[in-house]
Amino acid sequence: MQIYNSYTDSLEEFHSIHPGKVNMYVCGPTVYNYIHIGNARPVVFFDTVRRYLEHKGYAVRFVSNFTDVDDKIIQKSLDENIPELELSSFYIHAFLQDIESLNCKTDYTQPKVTEYMDPIIKYIKNLVDNGYAYEVDGDVYFRVSKIQDYGKLSNREVDDLISGSRVEINEQKENPLDFTLWKKTDQGLKFDAPYSLGRPGWHTECVVMIDDIFGEEIDIHGGGSGLKFPHHENEIAQAEATHHHHVARYWMHNGLLNFKDTKMSKSLGNVILVKDVLEKMALRYYLLSTHYRAPLVFTDEVFQMYITEWEKLENTYKSVFYKLDLSEKMIPTIEIKNPEIKQEMNHFDIAMDSDFNTANAITALQAILKLANINIRKNNNEILLNEILKALNYMTDVLGLKIDANRISEADRDIYHKWQQARKDKNYDLADTYRKVLMEKGIL
RNA sequence: GGACCCUUAGCCAAGUGGUAAGGCACGGGACUGCAACUCCCUCACCGCCGGUUCAAAUCCGACAGGGUCCUCCA
């Protein structure tokens, strides 16, 4: 399996540090609002990565944080007169609900900044003690000049960064690139550190959580490409300073989602919230339709197209499923022997092995759909249809595309047979009545 | 001002040196009690110009258009 490593900017063969295990961390949301569909992209994608790794037999330890201490949370808390913790807790639940509706697994480790204050403060103190950070009037800054490779991940020269800097020069910093580890404050949630009453900068939490939970270099660190600089660069710098080892072996960054001409972002206000999208699985399908490193453009026209494609997948899947279930010929334990199906299964895995090329994986899925539709109206091919169903189950499970199909009850089976009989009898009024019931139940 | 990325049919999209996968839409057939679903067929000189090469969508350079980062943002 190959993974594109953003750190080296190249495709690399994937070898986990511990055989059979993968430790991965994905930067999670700052919880002060509902997430939009652009926020959902990394969540859906890395959930898919996890699913595929698990199907390959890895025991995956998946961690993603919640930033629940932040300026924007404070601001919103003041604006709406709601305590910060209440606010963040509300949006944490909303987040989990949203991603669950996109069929993302939620049974992963979810550290929160507020629960990590002691280790964060200890971590910062260690950096100060070792000369990698310095305190000025209650604030603490990281001394970037101590890190030799600073800028390697995001491919930047330190000199370019300084000359191109549009940031107003902070007189307290030794170097404009130095970033805040601890900020003295009198607003919002405050914590007691040796330097001042304040709160931590954004860049320390992830690296502390990784250090605490995994205690070593992890296999995969993921996030949106917008986080490469400075966030991930700063994580790397801090880990280098603390342990003299890398945070992660493979860095993975997904491309951004653009809304028409510009990126979708809370600060620009051009957002579509996940909770407001009715077609949740079509959204997941859409998010996986393009390779994760490529940018993705959202327009109504494009999304409509993926709704159509999703419905096609859903229809075909259900047709196969219910045909087998209605005829009581479903064999969940079947082994795939058909060469054509085997080939598409292989194509699917090759695609996923190629840096999680979900676009090509979907092509293999579509080939199975076609095979299913060609064979669904033929008779006496239950074995083939069972193999097709098996393949569909595998592919949709890896991609996390959940289709609502359940084994049908005796009562519904009875209605089905009555419908068929009525059709044979050319009693179309009666047949249509039964058909309506079956369609409402999603069986047809 | 600095750094970087993208540009493949009406639309989405794969492809990273050997003469363009797949899907959606359109059009033409077929199936069907009526629907829905479905099937078959048709549909591209890869932004533009120049270069390297026996050979380029794929490598190099210029240009045009679009985008991202350098500041919070997945």
Side-chain angles (χ1 to χ4, degrees):
Chain A
M1 181 170 69
Q2 292 197 310
I3 291 183
Y4 186 88
N5 190 350
S6 303
Y7 191 74
T8 57
D9 276 323
S10 60
L11 274 175
E12 293 177 13
E13 193 59 34
F14 178 72
H15 298 291
S16 63
I17 293 167
H18 303 289
K21 290 182 186 169
V22 174
N23 289 331
M24 62 187 290
Y25 182 95
V26 178
C27 290
T30 300
V31 279
Y32 69 103
N33 208 335
Y34 292 104
I35 58 165
H36 63 251
I37 59 179
N39 299 128
R41 189 177 188 191
V43 180
V44 165
F45 172 66
F46 287 108
D47 176 69
T48 305
V49 169
R50 172 187 171 179
R51 285 166 178 273
Y52 186 60
L53 291 170
E54 285 176 347
H55 270 283
K56 280 183 91 77
Y58 289 105
V60 179
R61 186 150 190 211
F62 191 102
V63 179
S64 187
N65 69 310
F66 284 116
T67 301
D68 59 352
V69 175
D70 178 89
D71 286 352
K72 278 169 296 202
I73 298 174
I74 294 168
Q75 194 52 50
K76 182 135 180 171
S77 159
L78 291 171
D79 290 349
E80 308 202 344
N81 199 23
I82 298 169
E84 281 168 70
L85 285 176
E86 201 176 300
L87 190 82
S88 58
S89 160
F90 177 85
Y91 286 112
I92 284 170
H93 285 111
F95 173 84
L96 291 172
Q97 211 172 331
D98 279 345
I99 70 167
E100 198 167 13
S101 77
L102 292 170
N103 202 30
C104 294
K105 298 186 179 192
T106 54
D107 61 335
Y108 60 88
T109 306
Q110 303 162 354
K112 299 173 191 68
V113 177
T114 47
E115 294 167 357
Y116 261 85
M117 209 44 72
D118 288 347
I120 288 173
I121 290 169
K122 220 167 126 189
Y123 197 94
I124 293 171
K125 185 172 184 308
N126 180 265
L127 289 173
V128 174
D129 292 347
N130 290 322
Y132 283 93
Y134 54 94
E135 186 212 333
V136 183
D137 196 20
D139 292 342
V140 181
Y141 299 101
F142 188 90
R143 195 170 265 135
V144 167
S145 61
K146 295 270 286 186
I147 302 298
Q148 211 167 19
D149 276 344
Y150 192 77
K152 179 164 170 29
L153 174 72
S154 51
N155 248 320
R156 279 155 218 260
E157 300 293 333
V158 168
D159 290 346
D160 292 338
L161 284 169
I162 293 171
S163 68
S165 178
R166 296 188 311 206
V167 196
E168 55 184 286
I169 302 298
N170 182 335
E171 296 297 340
Q172 292 188 330
K173 290 184 186 177
E174 291 176 3
N175 178 322
L177 293 183
D178 290 350
F179 56 91
T180 306
L181 296 176
W182 189 264
K183 190 178 181 177
K184 181 178 162 186
T185 179
D186 46 18
Q187 251 194 347
L189 284 178
K190 293 179 283 289
F191 304 86
D192 200 8
Y195 319 100
S196 62
L197 211 53
R199 62 175 181 275
W202 177 46
H203 305 303
T204 308
E205 58 189 69
C206 292
V207 83
V208 172
M209 288 163 176
I210 289 169
D211 190 41
D212 179 73
I213 293 168
F214 297 106
E216 60 179 353
E217 182 182 15
I218 60 174
D219 294 294
I220 296 170
H221 189 128
S225 60
L227 295 181
K228 257 190 189 175
F229 185 89
H231 186 56
H232 290 159
E233 204 71 72
N234 293 348
E235 280 187 44
I236 290 169
Q238 291 171 90
E240 209 63 54
T242 303
H243 296 297
H244 307 290
H245 70 58
H246 287 176
V247 182
R249 190 164 284 188
Y250 303 89
W251 286 85
M252 295 177 72
H253 291 95
N254 62 274
L256 300 183
L257 184 145
N258 289 340
F259 182 71
K260 289 185 182 135
D261 293 333
T262 51
K263 68 176 176 169
M264 187 172 287
S265 114
K266 289 174 193 169
S267 46
L268 292 177
N270 59 344
V271 297
I272 293 175
L273 302 179
V274 169
K275 74 182 178 70
D276 294 333
V277 175
L278 297 177
E279 303 280 355
K280 293 293 200 295
M281 280 304 104
L283 177 56
R284 182 166 182 128
Y285 194 114
Y286 158 73
L287 290 172
L288 294 175
S289 67
T290 300
H291 187 96
Y292 75 92
R293 281 189 277 120
L296 195 51
V297 177
F298 186 93
T299 63
D300 288 339
E301 186 196 2
V302 170
F303 189 54
Q304 200 55 46
M305 191 169 83
Y306 285 103
I307 290 175
T308 302
E309 292 196 31
W310 158 252
E311 283 172 349
K312 181 172 169 169
L313 165 61
E314 195 180 29
N315 282 338
T316 304
Y317 182 95
K318 283 186 175 180
S319 298
V320 175
F321 184 93
Y322 288 121
K323 173 161 186 182
L324 290 172
D325 199 15
L326 283 163
S327 59
E328 301 182 67
K329 296 272 175 57
M330 200 179 282
I331 314 167
T333 55
I334 195 140
E335 192 185 326
I336 294 176
K337 289 184 177 152
N338 177 284
E340 202 171 339
I341 300 174
K342 278 178 112 158
Q343 190 183 44
E344 293 307 333
M345 290 284 283
N346 195 237
H347 284 164
F348 185 92
D349 284 348
I350 288 171
M352 293 302 285
D353 281 341
S354 310
D355 193 31
F356 304 96
N357 192 328
T358 52
N360 281 342
I362 286 172
T363 298
L365 169 61
Q366 284 167 336
I368 297 292
L369 292 181
K370 176 152 286 190
L371 195 64
N373 280 320
I374 288 170
N375 284 285
I376 199 138
R377 279 157 217 222
K378 297 179 182 169
N379 293 316
N380 303 318
N381 60 352
E382 287 78 17
I383 297 296
L384 181 64
L385 287 180
N386 268 294
E387 292 184 21
I388 286 170
L389 186 61
K390 183 101 172 180
L392 288 178
N393 279 332
Y394 170 70
M395 293 175 180
T396 55
D397 194 48
V398 168
L399 297 173
L401 296 169
K402 192 179 176 200
I403 295 149
D404 198 16
N406 299 301
R407 299 299 290 260
I408 64 181
S409 65
E410 281 309 312
D412 290 342
R413 195 188 304 277
D414 189 48
I415 294 172
Y416 178 82
H417 290 306
K418 281 179 176 159
W419 172 55
Q420 293 291 39
Q421 190 57 49
R423 288 180 71 202
K424 255 185 219 166
D425 298 343
K426 298 195 192 292
N427 185 348
Y428 295 123
D429 287 343
L430 184 61
D432 287 352
T433 309
Y434 290 131
R435 179 169 72 183
K436 196 169 171 234
V437 174
L438 293 167
M439 287 180 93
E440 275 166 5
K441 288 171 182 282
I443 295 169
L444 285 182

